C-alpha cells in the first residue's frame, strides 16, 4: 500500500518508506503518522527525524508497528523524539528496540511530553529502573501499553504504577507477572484507572488482586483472561463488583473456573461486554445464562465459546421473547450445539434487528445446514439486522447450493453481510468470486486469505484460532 492520507493522518503499510515520502508528510502538516510493517532505512529515518525536529511540525502522534529499527535508525528517532516537545502519543510496538548505548533509557527518562505510550512487543527487561522513574515522574501520562515486554518481575515498576495519579489505561498483557498483591495496590491507589488488561499472566493468588475491586471506583474495563483464576477467586471477584461497581466490560476467558462463574450472571447486570469463553461452564449454567441475556438491558457483547452451557432451545426461546434486547454480538463457537439447534436459533433471529454479529464456528455445520441458514436470512419474513456471520472451522464445501445461497444473500440483503468461511473445506477459492457468484458490479465483494476484517467473504484453508470481535 502506498502513502494514504485522510484528514490529518498519513499511513504507510508493508512498504519501504522513502525520504521523499516523509518529506511530503512534513509538507502536508500531518498530525499523525503511522508506519505499519514498513522498512525504514537510515536515510528515511534521517528524514523522519528532520520532520520531527521541524519547528513548524504539527505531528503530535507517531505510530511504528512491526517496523524493525536497527541501532542507527533507533538512535536517530530517539534523539528527535526527545527534542520534540509537541509529540503526545508515541507507539513503538514490535520494533525490536533495545537499550543500545543507553538510548532507550534516555528516551524513557526524557519524554515528559508524552501522554500515551505503547512499547509493547519489545524486551524492556534491561530498562525497568528508568521506566519506573519515568512512570513516577511523568504526571501527564494517561495511557501505557507494556504488553510482551518481559517486565513482570520488576517490583519497582509495579510500585511506581501504584503511585501514579493520572493513568486511565494500563495494559500489561503477557509480561510474566505473578505478583497479585502488587497489581492489587495499583487498583487500590490509582483512582483514575479506567482500563486494566492483564491477559496471559500466571498470577499467584489472584484473589489478592480482585479483592481490591471495591476500592477502584473508576474502573470500567477489566481483562483477566488466562490469569490462573479459580472458583474461589471468581467468588471474590463477583462480590467485588456486586456493590454498585461501575465495571461494564469483563473478560475472564481461559480460566478453569467451572460453573462457579455463573455467579456473574446475578451480579453483572451492568455489563455491556462479557467474555467467558473456555472456562468450563456446563449445562447447569444454561438457565442462568439465558436469564442473564434476557434481563441484562446493557449487554451488547457476549462470548461463550468452548463451553457446554448453551441450550439451543432455551436460547431460541430467549430471542423469541425479546427481539429488542440490546445484544449486538454473540459468539457461541465450539459449544456443541447440534445442527438442528443452530437452525432453531436462526429462526428465532429472523426478526431480531439488533444482533449484528453471530459466530457459529466449530459446530460441525455441514453444507446442507448452511443452505438452510442462508435461506432463513434471505426469506421474506426475515428482517434481521445481521451484518457479520462466522461459519469458520466447519466442514463446509462449495456445492452449487451453497454458492447459489451466498449469491442470493449478497444480492438481496441491503446490509451486505460478511460471511466468514475461514477453515472450511472449500475445494477451490476461485468458486467464491464476483464472477462465479454472478454478483452485480455494485456489490462490494472481496476475496482474501488474510484479512477477515475487510472482506465481504473471507476464505482461508487454515482453521482460525480466534473469533473476529466486531466493534
Amino acid at each position: 500500500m502506498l502513502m494514504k492520507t485522510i484528514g490529518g493522518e498519513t499511513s504507510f503499510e508493508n512498504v519501504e518508506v522513502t525520504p521523499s515520502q516523509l518529506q511530503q508528510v512534513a509538507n502536508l502538516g500531518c498530525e499523525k503518522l503511522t508506519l505499519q510493517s514498513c522498512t525504514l532505512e537510515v536515510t528515511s529515518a534521517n528524514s523522519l527525524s528532520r520532520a520531527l525536529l521541524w519547528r513548524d511540525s504539527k505531528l503530535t502522534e507517531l505510530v511504528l508497528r512491526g517496523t524493525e529499527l536497527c541501532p542507527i535508525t533507533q538512535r536517530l528517532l530517539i534523539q528527535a523524539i526527545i527534542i520534540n516537545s509537541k509529540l503526545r502519543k508515541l507507539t513503538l510496538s514490535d520494533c525490536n528496540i533495545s537499550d543500545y548505548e543507553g538510548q532507550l533509557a534516555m528516551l524513557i527518562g526524557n519524554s515528559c511530553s508524552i501522554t500515551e505510550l505503547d512499547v509493547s512487543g519489545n524486551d524492556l527487561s534491561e530498562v525497568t529502573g528508568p521506566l519506573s522513574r519515568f512512570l513516577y515522574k511523568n504526571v501527564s501520562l494517561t495511557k501505557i501499553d507494556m504488553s510482551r515486554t518481559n517486565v513482570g518481575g520488576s517490583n519497582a515498576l509495579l510500585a511506581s504504577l501504584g503511585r501514579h495519579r493520572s493513568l486511565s489505561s494500563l495494559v500489561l498483557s503477557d509480561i510474566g507477572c505473578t505478583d497479585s498483591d502488587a497489581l492489587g495496590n495499583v487498583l487500590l491507589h490509582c483512582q483514575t484507572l479506567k482500563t486494566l488488561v492483564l491477559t496471559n499472566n500466571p498470577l499467584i493468588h489472584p484473589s489478592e488482586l480482585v479483592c481490591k475491586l471495591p476500592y477502584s471506583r473508576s474502573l470500567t474495563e477489566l481483562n483477566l483472561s488466562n490469569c490462573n483464576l479459580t472458583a474461589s477467586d471468581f467468588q471474590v471477584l463477583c462480590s467485588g463488583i456486586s456493590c454498585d461497581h461501575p465495571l461494564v466490560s469483563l473478560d475472564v476467558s481461559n480460566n478453569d473456573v467451572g460453573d462457579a462463574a455463573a455467579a456473574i450472571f446475578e451480579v453483572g447486570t451492568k455489563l455491556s461486554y462479557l467474555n467467558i469463553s473456555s472456562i468450563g461452564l456446563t449445562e447447569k449454567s444454561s438457565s442462568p445464562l439465558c436469564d442473564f441475556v434476557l434481563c441484562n438491558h446493557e449487554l451488547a457483547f457476549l462470548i461463550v465459546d468452548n463451553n457446554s452451557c448453551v441450550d439451543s432451545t432455551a436460547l431460541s426461546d430467549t430471542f423469541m421473547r425479546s427481539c429488542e434486547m440490546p445484544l449486538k454480538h454473540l459468539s457461541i463457537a465450539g459449544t456443541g450445539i447440534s445442527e438442528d439447534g443452530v437452525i432453531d436459533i436462526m429462526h428465532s433471529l429472523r426478526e431480531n434487528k439488533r444482533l449484528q454479529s453471530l459466530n457459529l464456528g466449530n459446530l460441525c455445520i455441514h453444507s446442507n445446514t448452511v443452505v438452510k441458514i442462508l435461506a432463513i436470512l434471505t426469506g421474506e419474513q426475515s428482517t434481521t439486522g445481521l451484518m457479520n456471520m462466522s461459519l469458520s472451522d466447519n466442514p463446509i464445501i462449495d456445492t452449487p447450493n451453497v454458492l447459489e445461497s451466498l449469491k442470493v444473500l449478497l444480492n438481496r440483503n441491503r446490509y451486505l453481510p460478511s460471511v466468514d468461511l475461514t477453515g472450511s473445506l472449500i475445494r477451490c477459492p476461485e468458486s467464491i468470486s464476483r464472477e462465479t457468484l454472478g454478483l452485480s458490479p455494485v456489490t462490494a465483494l472481496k476475496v482474501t486469505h488474510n484479512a477477515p476484517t475487510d472482506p465481504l467473504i473471507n476464505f482461508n484453508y487454515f482453521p482460525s484460532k480466534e473469533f473476529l470481535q466486531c466493534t
Side-chain angles (χ1 to χ4, degrees):
M1 185 182 80
L2 297 178
M3 184 175 71
K4 182 179 180 180
T5 301
I6 301 177
E9 177 180 351
T10 298
S11 59
F12 300 86
E13 185 174 351
N14 296 312
V15 295
E16 180 176 339
V17 185
T18 65
S20 61
Q21 289 174 322
L22 291 171
Q23 182 59 50
Q24 187 177 354
V25 170
N27 295 337
L28 288 172
C30 294
E31 298 176 0
K32 179 180 178 180
L33 173 62
T34 300
L35 304 182
Q36 177 76 41
S37 303
C38 292
T39 301
L40 195 65
E41 299 295 345
V42 174
T43 54
S44 298
N46 194 34
S47 297
L48 179 54
S49 300
R50 289 199 300 270
L52 287 168
L53 294 173
W54 186 35
R55 67 176 184 177
D56 293 329
S57 172
K58 295 182 180 179
L59 199 65
T60 59
E61 183 173 0
L62 177 63
V63 179
L64 273 68
R65 285 197 176 95
T67 301
E68 290 199 9
L69 303 175
C70 71
I72 297 176
T73 57
Q74 178 179 303
R75 184 179 69 235
L76 289 168
L77 285 179
I78 286 178
Q79 290 174 348
I81 290 170
I82 290 174
I83 297 173
N84 186 314
S85 60
K86 298 179 181 179
L87 207 60
R88 295 292 179 266
K89 301 177 183 180
L90 175 63
T91 297
L92 297 173
S93 179
D94 295 296
C95 290
N96 196 33
I97 57 176
S98 63
D99 197 31
Y100 176 71
E101 295 181 349
Q103 295 170 13
L104 192 54
M106 187 184 303
L107 169 66
I108 291 172
N110 293 278
S111 299
C112 293
S113 65
I114 302 296
T115 60
E116 298 182 15
L117 178 65
D118 181 350
V119 287
S120 59
N122 299 287
D123 188 355
L124 303 182
S125 58
E126 306 250 334
V127 290
T128 54
L131 186 56
S132 300
R133 291 190 291 274
F134 165 73
L135 292 173
Y136 182 69
K137 292 192 314 181
N138 190 341
V139 294
S140 61
L141 191 68
T142 59
K143 297 182 180 181
I144 185 167
D145 187 341
M146 294 188 290
S147 302
R148 299 174 288 113
T149 53
N150 199 26
V151 297
S154 173
N155 292 329
L157 179 64
L158 295 176
S160 67
L161 289 169
R163 292 193 296 267
H164 209 283
R165 293 295 179 267
S166 59
L167 272 181
S168 64
S169 176
L170 178 60
V171 183
L172 300 174
S173 298
D174 202 9
I175 62 171
C177 182
T178 60
D179 195 340
S180 301
D181 186 55
L183 291 170
N185 286 331
V186 175
L187 279 181
L188 183 63
H189 298 295
C190 189
Q191 291 300 308
T192 57
L193 194 63
K194 295 181 179 180
T195 299
L196 179 60
V197 180
L198 300 171
T199 308
N200 298 331
N201 282 295
L203 299 181
I204 298 175
H205 304 305
S207 58
E208 296 178 355
L209 163 65
V210 295
C211 70
K212 304 294 197 309
L213 276 173
Y215 305 100
S216 181
R217 303 305 300 174
S218 60
L219 193 71
T220 58
E221 178 182 353
L222 178 62
N223 190 324
L224 295 172
S225 176
N226 194 25
C227 285
N228 283 347
L229 289 178
T230 64
S232 59
D233 297 323
F234 206 86
Q235 290 174 354
V236 176
L237 185 151
C238 289
S239 65
I241 64 175
S242 61
C243 303
D244 197 30
H245 198 280
L247 194 71
V248 296
S249 176
L250 178 64
D251 187 337
V252 289
S253 59
N254 299 297
N255 289 289
D256 189 13
V257 179
D259 288 311
I264 195 64
F265 301 145
E266 297 181 11
V267 299
T269 54
K270 291 184 177 181
L271 292 176
S272 62
Y273 176 98
L274 179 61
N275 186 345
I276 50 174
S277 59
S278 303
I279 60 173
L281 290 173
T282 69
E283 61 276 2
K284 294 180 181 178
S285 301
S286 176
S287 179
L289 172 64
C290 290
D291 290 341
F292 174 70
V293 173
L294 187 62
C295 299
N296 186 317
H297 301 298
E298 306 293 334
L299 189 66
F301 290 77
L302 179 61
I303 305 174
V304 292
D305 298 350
N306 304 317
N307 290 294
S308 302
C309 62
V310 180
D311 183 318
S312 59
T313 301
L315 191 60
S316 299
D317 290 342
T318 300
F319 285 126
M320 292 291 287
R321 288 166 60 188
S322 178
C323 291
E324 296 303 318
M325 64 178 62
L327 193 63
K328 294 181 180 179
H329 308 279
L330 175 65
S331 181
I332 51 177
T335 51
I337 298 175
S338 68
E339 291 184 280
D340 288 340
V342 171
I343 294 298
D344 288 341
I345 290 175
M346 296 309 300
H347 276 297
S348 69
L349 291 174
R350 282 184 304 180
E351 298 179 7
N352 189 305
K353 298 179 181 180
R354 292 181 178 264
L355 194 68
Q356 299 174 7
S357 177
L358 177 64
N359 183 13
L360 300 174
N362 194 22
L363 291 176
C364 203
I365 298 174
H366 292 80
S367 300
N368 290 339
T369 302
V370 171
V371 173
K372 294 178 182 179
I373 291 172
L374 298 180
I376 293 171
L377 292 176
T378 55
E380 292 183 0
Q381 296 180 344
S382 176
T383 57
T384 177
L386 203 62
M387 299 172 65
N388 300 281
M389 182 169 63
S390 174
L391 296 168
S392 62
D393 302 324
N394 285 295
I396 304 166
I397 59 176
D398 47 346
T399 64
N401 286 341
V402 168
L403 298 179
E404 180 61 26
S405 297
L406 284 171
K407 173 184 175 181
V408 172
L409 176 70
L410 296 172
N411 275 322
R412 290 186 59 180
N413 193 305
R414 64 187 180 89
Y415 293 107
L416 295 177
S418 167
V419 181
D420 185 355
L421 298 174
T422 305
S424 62
L425 301 179
I426 303 295
R427 292 165 294 188
C428 57
E430 295 78 12
S431 64
I432 300 181
S433 66
R434 184 187 303 279
E435 291 75 20
T436 55
L437 291 178
L439 300 180
S440 63
V442 297
T443 305
L445 173 66
K446 284 187 180 180
V447 180
T448 179
H449 288 261
N450 300 313
T453 55
D454 291 333
L456 199 60
I457 296 182
N458 179 59
F459 169 83
N460 198 312
Y461 280 112
F462 303 99
S464 62
K465 300 299 182 184
E466 298 178 355
F467 168 54
L468 169 63
Q469 184 178 304
C470 303
T471 57

